Amino acid sequence: GKQIAAALALGADGVNCGTRFCATQECNWPSSFKQRMVEASELDTVLMLRRLQNTCRVFRNKVAVEVEEIESKAGDDFDFGMVVQLVNGKRGREA
């Protein structure tokens, strides 16, 4: 709450709370996932798509690390098409 209030006091029009509200009792996500969210630190996550100015923080896993490596190696030549097959959600929907 304090960080949101500070951002608004400094003139922000809003703040991005990400998935923080998904850890609440009201959310119907599995308790095991919510507990993992609460216990995780930034070291358990990867920031992806930074070069596209569309940064997202995800749990560190094989796919997230692969995306991070592709983005890092491509540098300024990074394009979403290089990772779309990894981040489009198709694999998860088929699982």
Side-chain angles (χ1 to χ4, degrees), residues 63-95:
V63 172
V65 170
E66 186 175 353
V67 170
E68 184 180 43
E69 289 172 356
I70 292 168
E71 185 173 358
S72 178
K73 287 178 185 176
D76 290 339
D77 295 326
F78 179 68
D79 179 82
F80 184 67
M82 296 174 170
V83 296
V84 67
Q85 75 283 359
L86 296 169
V87 299
N88 66 9
K90 182 178 179 184
R91 290 177 35 197
R93 286 189 297 275
E94 291 174 353

Side-chain angles (χ1 to χ4, degrees), residues 6-83:
L8 296 174
L10 290 171
D13 291 327
V15 295
N16 183 350
C17 293
T19 55
R20 190 66 183 156
F21 295 112
C22 296
T24 64
Q25 290 179 351
E26 293 80 9
C27 179
N28 65 357
W29 287 12
S31 296
S32 58
F33 185 81
K34 291 192 247 184
Q35 189 63 37
R36 183 173 177 211
M37 285 179 64
V38 170
E39 292 173 355
S41 77
E42 66 273 8
L43 300 176
D44 299 313
T45 64
V46 171
L47 293 173
M48 298 189 321
L49 309 179
R50 293 171 115 182
R51 284 180 162 57
L52 302 177
Q53 283 73 51
N54 191 23
T55 305
C56 55
R57 182 182 298 275
V58 299
F59 275 118
R60 182 177 299 281
N61 61 26
K62 181 181 173 184
V63 172
V65 170
E66 186 175 353
V67 170
E68 184 180 43
E69 289 172 356
I70 292 168
E71 185 173 358
S72 178
K73 287 178 185 176
D76 290 339
D77 295 326
F78 179 68
D79 179 82
F80 184 67
M82 296 174 170
V83 296

